[in-house]
Amino acid sequence: MKSAAANFYRTLKAYRFRPRMLAQVKTYTRDDFVKDLGAGLTVGVVALPLAMAFAIASGVRPEQGIVTAIVAGFLISALGGTRVQIGGPAGAFVALLYGIVEKYGVANLLIATMMAGVLLFAMGAFRMGNLVRFIPVSIVIGFTAGIAVIIGISQVKDFMGLDIAKPPSNFFSLISVIADRIDTVNWMALAIGGSSLLLILLWPVSYKPQTRPWARIMSKLPSTIVVLIVWSVAFWLFNLQVETIGSKFGELPSGIPLPHFPAFDWETARNLVAPTIAIALLCAIESLLCARVADGLINDRHDPNQELMAQGVANFFTPFFGGIVASGTIARTVTNIRSGARSPVAGIVHALTLLLVIVVAAPLAGYIPLAALAAILLWVAYSMAEWREFAKLRQFSMFYRITMLSTFFLTVVFDLVVAVEVGLILASLFFIYRMSSLTRVDVIEIPLEKSKLPDGRVVGAVRIFGSLFFGSVTKLENLLDPLGKLPDVLILEMHQTINMDNTGLEALESLHKLITRRGGLMMVAGANEQPLMLMKRSGFVKLLGEDNLRASLEDALYIVGAPRASLVDPKVP
């Protein structure tokens, strides 16, 4: 009874909820709060245009992006496993969410988000956070660049003011529609978009804070906010003939809506399994990658399992307020760090800042031209991908190039789920190939006078180097050939066999059976811990005979009657 209770306690302890906020509170100071307050206000201002832009690009209303940044941003900071990560809607989800909205509708997107939240929490509770780190960097770079291309091409319509009622989500269909409707370009929208891009590029350089006080103040304003202010004022003054948030979505509500459960039925939920898995997987990857970037900048270490549980809670509750998928966001997290953030309090201040902004200034958002938001997203798309990695592809192996380019093109042409699945399959196959190519079976040359026993039996030995698994058992095919010639006594020297799976064990059993049927003897020498434990658990040691399992090749030769003497071994890298 006591043992069962102890096991139950250990299980609860393993799954306990440990927000980073609790650890930070113990040593929190007034100076920390001042730093967090300034960082939170800064990143809150930065997050406002991004939240609206990502929501619109995802096929939902702009206020849903703001609500996501507020509710999910608060929960991720309060419950997460990092010190300074900022949560909210992310550019990585734009293509995925737009496809879900187009196919299933907004209500079902909210249901899929809630289901993904449950899955994320389970991943964290069962301590699967570290597994996300095993996704190869080639896949991450590939799908991130693919998402950037999709975001970029999806903004061409608003950037140029094209008359397209509902852009398709398919890449080639969208290209075709843009080409067909290019004659409907709105030159005013194009001018707004182009000048907004220039302003985003030049704003940090246009002022030198060290020269004049007013320039110091101006330079601290994020360029994206400057773009929104400039063109909102221009639209209000001159009534520009371009599409705005107000003309497309109407007036934004002041505040967040009351929570309500989205429409749900099990029949629809069954069709959302694939979108749910895609959302959860991408959210886990994006959030934990962001957390690793933050760790490198502040010399810290996050708790990946706690972070996944916090992401799960945030994505489960945010849809009650009409919000969409949220994750850790690299750009806002880096802004938070550079603004001096020291704890999760900065993320909470960021969420409260956004709440205050929409309460006070929600009606003004209606003046924002969509072309200006499109310019912001084009800049985000360019910034989020590691384009330099494509220029360096020649430096990497063919396997790396194939995996990365396949993931990139599949993300663009099909969708993220297909791209990641194929990328993981390719990466696994290439890894198996590399591991099997490292595995070798070398004949150990025994001097002629020592290779025969007094009774005339021939002694032979081979060394298995590497990993003996399903991808490399073909290296034993010469020994397993029924028509091949085998020595009367075969010694398998395995001190350099680092790993063996059940397929490798089955190959050894087949070899033992073949030698025994011919009246010969098989011995294993110097087996490492993992192969040895597998041979013992499976009963192969009993089948082989414990006397035929020796500590070293020299010991095996001595046992079968050969004298102790130095052997001529092949060179092993």
Side-chain angles (χ1 to χ4, degrees):
M1 189 71 177
K2 290 183 178 180
S3 177
N7 290 334
F8 180 71
Y9 173 76
R10 282 195 293 270
T11 302
L12 287 180
K13 188 176 180 181
Y15 297 119
R16 65 180 177 174
F17 204 71
R18 298 184 293 262
R20 187 64 180 269
M21 174 72 81
L22 298 180
Q24 293 295 122
V25 167
K26 296 177 182 178
T27 57
Y28 201 65
T29 64
R30 184 176 182 178
D31 184 56
D32 291 334
F33 177 72
V34 172
K35 292 289 186 181
D36 286 337
L37 180 63
L41 291 171
T42 301
V43 78
V45 173
V46 171
L48 178 64
L50 296 178
M52 290 190 293
F54 290 147
I56 293 172
S58 299
V60 299
R61 294 179 57 83
E63 65 264 28
Q64 290 181 268
I66 299 176
V67 166
T68 303
I70 295 171
V71 178
F74 178 90
L75 292 174
I76 289 171
S77 293
L79 305 177
T82 69
R83 273 174 50 196
V84 292
Q85 178 151 283
I86 300 296
F93 291 91
V94 166
L96 177 62
L97 301 191
Y98 188 87
I100 294 174
V101 169
E102 186 181 54
K103 187 173 182 180
Y104 300 103
V106 175
N108 287 324
L109 168 63
L110 302 184
I111 295 297
T113 302
M114 295 177 68
M115 293 166 62
V118 175
L119 185 56
L120 282 164
F121 189 90
M123 290 169 65
F126 288 101
R127 313 193 69 78
M128 296 174 64
N130 289 321
L131 295 180
V132 176
R133 297 182 179 182
F134 294 135
I135 296 178
V137 67
S138 56
I139 294 178
V140 175
I141 292 173
F143 78 65
T144 302
I147 290 168
V149 170
I150 294 173
I151 293 175
I153 197 66
S154 68
Q155 295 310 300
V156 171
K157 178 243 181 199
D158 289 333
F159 187 82
M160 301 180 70
L162 300 180
D163 184 15
I164 300 174
K166 187 176 181 181
S169 59
N170 180 269
F171 177 77
F172 291 111
S173 299
L174 182 56
I175 292 290
S176 176
V177 170
I178 290 173
D180 290 341
R181 304 294 293 168
I182 196 67
D183 57 333
T184 65
V185 61
N186 183 324
W187 295 104
M188 177 57 69
L190 184 59
I192 291 174
S195 58
S196 297
L197 269 181
L198 285 175
L199 189 56
I200 291 170
L201 285 167
L202 299 177
W203 180 259
V205 185
S206 298
Y207 297 95
K208 297 181 179 180
Q210 66 274 21
T211 57
R212 297 187 181 93
W214 65 269
R216 183 180 297 110
I217 296 173
M218 294 294 287
S219 66
K220 289 185 179 296
L221 280 175
S223 58
T224 52
I225 288 294
V226 174
V227 165
L228 297 190
I229 293 174
V230 167
W231 286 114
S232 296
V233 171
F235 179 86
W236 179 66
L237 290 175
F238 304 110
N239 192 25
L240 304 176
Q241 298 303 304
V242 293
E243 193 172 24
T244 65
I245 288 180
S247 64
K248 184 171 183 179
F249 299 101
E251 185 176 332
L252 301 187
S254 299
I256 59 176
L258 294 175
H260 65 281
F261 196 86
F264 175 83
D265 65 85
W266 285 108
E267 190 63 32
T268 303
R270 289 171 54 189
N271 299 324
L272 298 175
V273 173
T276 296
I277 295 174
I279 291 172
L281 179 62
L282 182 56
C283 184
I285 296 171
E286 185 77 5
S287 298
L288 297 185
L289 281 177
C290 179
R292 290 178 65 183
V293 170
D295 286 349
L297 293 174
I298 63 174
N299 194 26
D300 193 32
R301 184 172 179 83
H302 71 281
D303 181 346
N305 299 306
Q306 179 62 36
E307 187 62 29
L308 286 184
M309 287 190 282
Q311 298 288 339
V313 172
N315 280 286
F316 180 79
F317 283 104
T318 301
F320 280 95
F321 300 88
I324 56 175
V325 179
S327 73
T329 56
I330 294 178
R332 275 158 277 175
T333 297
V334 171
T335 302
N336 192 38
I337 293 170
R338 290 175 177 170
S339 301
R342 295 184 178 179
S343 78
V345 173
I348 294 175
V349 172
H350 135 269
L352 296 177
T353 300
L354 284 170
L355 178 60
L356 179 63
V357 168
I358 65 166
V359 168
V360 174
L364 302 179
Y367 296 116
I368 298 174
L370 293 183
L373 282 178
I376 293 173
L377 277 183
L378 284 173
W379 173 247
V380 169
Y382 173 77
S383 303
M384 70 183 290
E386 299 182 50
W387 303 110
R388 293 180 181 177
E389 294 299 317
F390 285 83
K392 297 191 297 185
L393 276 177
R394 292 183 179 180
Q395 302 175 13
F396 300 105
S397 68
M398 179 186 67
F399 298 149
Y400 182 95
R401 295 197 296 266
I402 291 175
T403 302
M404 179 174 156
L405 292 176
S406 297
T407 307
F408 170 71
F409 286 116
L410 288 172
T411 301
V412 173
V413 176
F414 294 100
D415 59 49
L416 181 68
V417 180
V418 173
V420 173
E421 287 175 350
V422 174
L424 286 173
I425 291 172
L426 287 175
S428 300
L429 290 176
F430 292 150
F431 175 77
I432 291 169
Y433 176 80
R434 284 195 297 267
M435 289 298 295
S436 63
S437 65
L438 293 175
T439 302
R440 288 179 15 211
V441 178
D442 297 326
V443 175
I444 299 176
E445 297 181 6
I446 301 175
L448 183 61
E449 66 276 10
K450 301 173 184 178
S451 62
K452 285 189 179 182
L453 300 179
D455 59 6
R457 288 185 297 166
V458 176
V459 179
V462 296
R463 174 176 287 118
I464 302 176
F465 173 86
S467 181
L468 190 61
F469 69 114
F470 66 90
S472 64
V473 290
T474 55
K475 299 296 179 73
L476 294 176
E477 60 185 7
N478 290 334
L479 297 176
L480 291 169
D481 186 358
L483 303 178
K485 187 175 181 181
L486 289 172
D488 299 302
V489 178
L490 177 64
I491 303 172
L492 300 182
E493 204 282 323
M494 298 181 65
H495 89 278
Q496 290 180 322
T497 307
I498 58 175
N499 175 269
M500 181 171 68
D501 69 356
N502 288 333
T503 305
L505 177 65
E506 185 181 2
L508 294 190
E509 291 174 347
S510 299
L511 181 59
H512 177 263
K513 186 183 297 184
L514 179 62
I515 293 175
T516 304
R517 192 162 51 237
R518 296 183 179 184
L521 176 67
M522 175 173 153
M523 303 182 74
V524 174
N528 277 319
E529 182 179 358
Q530 190 275 333
L532 181 59
M533 291 300 296
L534 180 59
M535 288 188 285
K536 287 181 177 179
R537 289 199 309 268
S538 65
F540 179 69
V541 171
K542 290 184 179 179
L543 180 67
L544 182 70
E546 293 192 7
D547 288 340
N548 295 325
L549 183 67
R550 312 310 302 181
S552 66
L553 176 61
E554 189 179 47
D555 185 28
L557 287 171
Y558 178 79
I559 291 298
V560 296
R564 289 179 178 270
S566 60
L567 303 175
V568 181
D569 293 348
K571 293 181 180 179
V572 178

